[in-house]
Amino acid sequence: MTETREELGLGAAGLAGRLAQARAGALVGREPERTVLDRMLSGAADAPLVAYMHGPGGIGKSSLVRYAARQAELTGRRVVHVDGRFLDADPRRFEELAAPACAEPGAVLLIDTFEQCQPLEAWLRETFLLRLADHAIVVVASRVSPDAEWSLDPGWAQPRVPAGRPPPSHRWRSGRARSWTGSPRRARLRRAPAAH
């Protein structure tokens, strides 16, 4: 006799839903980053259009990208995910993957592991992002900090709230985390000290 999912205590949630719940529960702390992402997703007038999260591997950048994806889906926004691990310095492949963000208003473009296609940074800023659909937002996660050109253009360099560091009790405590959501200069000034 075969038992049903409910009899096994599995409920109706599929594997994707269960993974999303487990990942959401594992994201401890990071309230400042989540607040910025939530403000972006809510369409707040003073929220940044681009959040650039950077720092060493293992500090939770990809977890924050997944958080943004989940929150965007809950609000009915189209999520366009681009993973730099599968790209090179050819903008045509990036355009192919990110094209829906140019066509659908309110789309959320998530670019993870951007350090793998870092040579595209100037093209991304000066060409591609200017073609995004109305009310689209962008979240970039990279091990490499944003180049200084973001702060030289007054349009990109609007002051934003820099993100803080994770709580000392969390497993990320030995890492240094920095986020930029508007001005790289402010992010450098607010570099998180190493936990003791």
Side-chain angles (χ1 to χ4, degrees):
M1 179 173 167
T2 305
E3 298 179 70
T4 65
R5 292 180 54 82
E6 287 75 22
E7 291 170 334
L8 291 172
L10 298 177
L15 179 61
R18 291 170 47 210
L19 279 172
Q21 288 174 344
R23 288 170 174 163
L27 184 59
V28 177
R30 297 295 186 177
E31 283 81 13
E33 290 91 344
R34 289 190 291 177
T35 298
V36 169
L37 293 172
D38 289 342
R39 288 185 56 71
M40 291 171 70
L41 290 166
S42 74
D46 61 342
L49 302 175
V50 176
Y52 193 119
M53 302 178 295
H54 59 99
I59 62 168
K61 297 181 300 295
S62 292
S63 294
L64 285 164
V65 168
R66 285 191 295 270
Y67 171 82
R70 178 78 174 139
Q71 295 305 106
E73 289 167 355
L74 290 174
T75 61
R77 284 179 175 251
R78 169 80 181 265
V79 176
V80 180
H81 191 262
V82 176
D83 192 328
R85 292 176 297 177
F86 307 112
L87 297 175
D88 54 25
D90 183 353
R92 290 175 295 186
R93 178 70 177 137
F94 186 99
E95 283 181 314
E96 179 185 321
L97 295 172
C102 295
E104 188 163 335
V108 178
L109 176 58
L110 305 173
I111 308 169
D112 201 359
T113 324
F114 187 60
E115 70 273 5
Q116 296 295 320
C117 56
Q118 200 77 33
L120 294 176
E121 186 171 6
W123 169 83
L124 178 75
R125 180 183 56 249
E126 297 165 12
T127 304
F128 185 79
L129 294 184
L130 303 180
R131 298 194 319 246
L132 291 177
D134 289 344
H135 308 291
I137 61 171
V138 182
V139 178
V140 180
S142 178
R143 292 184 181 190
V144 178
S145 62
D147 69 35
E149 294 299 318
W150 292 95
S151 64
L152 297 177
D153 181 333
W156 293 116
Q158 300 172 32
R160 300 293 178 211
V161 179
R165 67 179 177 157
S169 62
H170 196 272
R171 66 179 177 85
W172 295 322
R173 70 176 181 218
S174 62
R176 292 175 182 257
R178 294 192 292 168
S179 292
W180 169 71
T181 54
S183 172
R185 287 178 288 204
R186 287 189 64 173
R188 283 194 293 270
L189 292 174
R190 293 294 300 270
R191 186 173 183 180
H196 301 289

